């Protein structure tokens, strides 16, 4: 359970990299919401806040925030699979790219 969130994020990146349909983001967000709803409920019940605790609205907030996060990592996977993904990998590894690459002063 500790690494389940990271596995869902990795699944989102892989879905974008493999070019799977965007509706998979909604499925992953739904699974993520159910995976973390009970832990979030326990935290909210132990946190002092306003007396009107609405768990339905909190669940909707969690679901929509998961959609935003998973869509961002999905787009990261799409970008990595694009022709610019090689340049992105070079940037992450620290390789020099551009017109001055390999030039010494």
């Amino acid at each position: 359970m500790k690494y389940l969130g990271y596995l869902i994020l990795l699944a989102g990146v892989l879905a974008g990299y493999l070019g799977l349909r965007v509706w998979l983001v909604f499925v992953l967000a739904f699974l993520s919401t159910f995976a973390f709803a009970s832990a979030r409920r326990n935290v909210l019940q132990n946190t002092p806040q306003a007396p009107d605790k609405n768990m339905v609205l909190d669940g909707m907030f969690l679901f929509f925030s998961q959609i935003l996060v998973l869509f961002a990592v999905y787009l990261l996977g799409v970008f990595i699979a694009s022709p610019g993904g090689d340049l992105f990998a070079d940037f992450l590894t620290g390789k020099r790219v551009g017109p001055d690459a390999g030039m010494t002063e």
Side-chain angles (χ1 to χ4, degrees):
M1 184 69 177
K2 183 178 178 181
Y3 299 107
L4 184 62
Y6 297 115
L7 291 175
I8 292 173
L9 288 176
L10 182 63
V13 172
L14 286 175
Y17 181 77
L18 296 175
L20 300 177
R21 300 285 183 191
V22 177
W23 60 265
L24 191 62
V25 170
F26 293 99
V27 172
L28 290 173
F30 190 71
L31 291 174
S32 177
T33 300
F34 274 107
F36 297 118
S38 63
R40 186 171 171 96
R41 181 178 47 92
N42 292 337
V43 168
L44 285 176
Q45 285 180 345
N46 296 330
T47 303
Q49 60 181 2
D52 55 344
K53 298 177 186 176
N54 192 341
M55 292 304 197
V56 174
L57 287 177
D58 188 63
M60 288 175 52
F61 173 76
L62 180 62
F63 176 68
F64 285 114
S65 62
Q66 291 297 323
I67 286 175
L68 289 175
V69 169
L70 285 165
F71 189 67
V73 297
Y74 177 85
L75 288 179
L76 180 66
V78 169
F79 178 70
I80 291 171
S82 72
D86 292 333
L87 295 175
F88 181 68
D90 290 341
F91 170 74
L92 288 178
T93 59
K95 291 183 182 177
R96 296 184 69 192
V97 295
D100 61 341
M103 300 174 108
T104 58
E105 296 185 43

